[in-house]
Amino acid sequence: SPVSGDQQPAAVDAATVAPGFEEKLQAFWAKNGKSAVILCLVVLLAIVGRGAMALLAAQREAGIAAAYAAAGTSDQLKTFAAANAGHPLAGAAHLRLADEAYAASKFADAQAEYSQAASILVDSPFAGRIQLGLAMAKVNGGDIAAGESALKGLVDNVSGLKAVRAEAAYHLAIIASDAGRSED
């Protein structure tokens, strides 16, 4: 057929036209809508669950801190430490009990409490102080050789606190002086 100037464009077959964004989105939602809703719910529940766990942990810590603050007597501290074994505040309770025993010249009890505190507060700022107390409890409890060895260990620990190292050196000097070892 000859081409004429008033020729109309041919009708476009609907099957050959690519679907638009809206049709694609509608098809995706029809196929995956339930899965998308379930995934959103799972993510939401995970977020809420994590928040709830953090809230419960914070409430537990607040309860432990309140119980520690309320423990005023030695018996209450012992009960607190036993009920919260392994918690840093239980270590602080053992440290307080050790200091009380040391002040009362109950050096065997002090050694036991310092040892408990040391096992809990290993990497805390109190670690050197605990080791110093344990060493002095040994010295004053009659085990001078073990105490002196522990004090030497503190002095030789270059990563330890300078105040702890200085006090350990001071006590070593007193022990050496009392034993007549002026060269030490």
Side-chain angles (χ1 to χ4, degrees), residues 14-82:
T16 61
V17 174
F21 175 74
E22 291 155 359
E23 288 96 15
K24 287 180 182 179
L25 183 61
Q26 190 173 23
F28 175 81
W29 188 256
K31 182 178 178 184
N32 301 312
K34 285 185 180 182
S35 298
V37 169
I38 290 172
L39 178 64
C40 289
L41 287 174
V42 167
V43 169
L44 180 64
L45 287 174
I47 292 169
V48 169
R50 184 172 178 173
M53 293 299 290
L55 180 63
L56 288 174
Q59 288 176 343
R60 180 180 177 272
E61 286 297 315
I64 291 172
Y68 176 76
T73 67
S74 295
D75 289 336
Q76 290 172 335
L77 282 172
K78 287 177 186 176
T79 302
F80 172 83

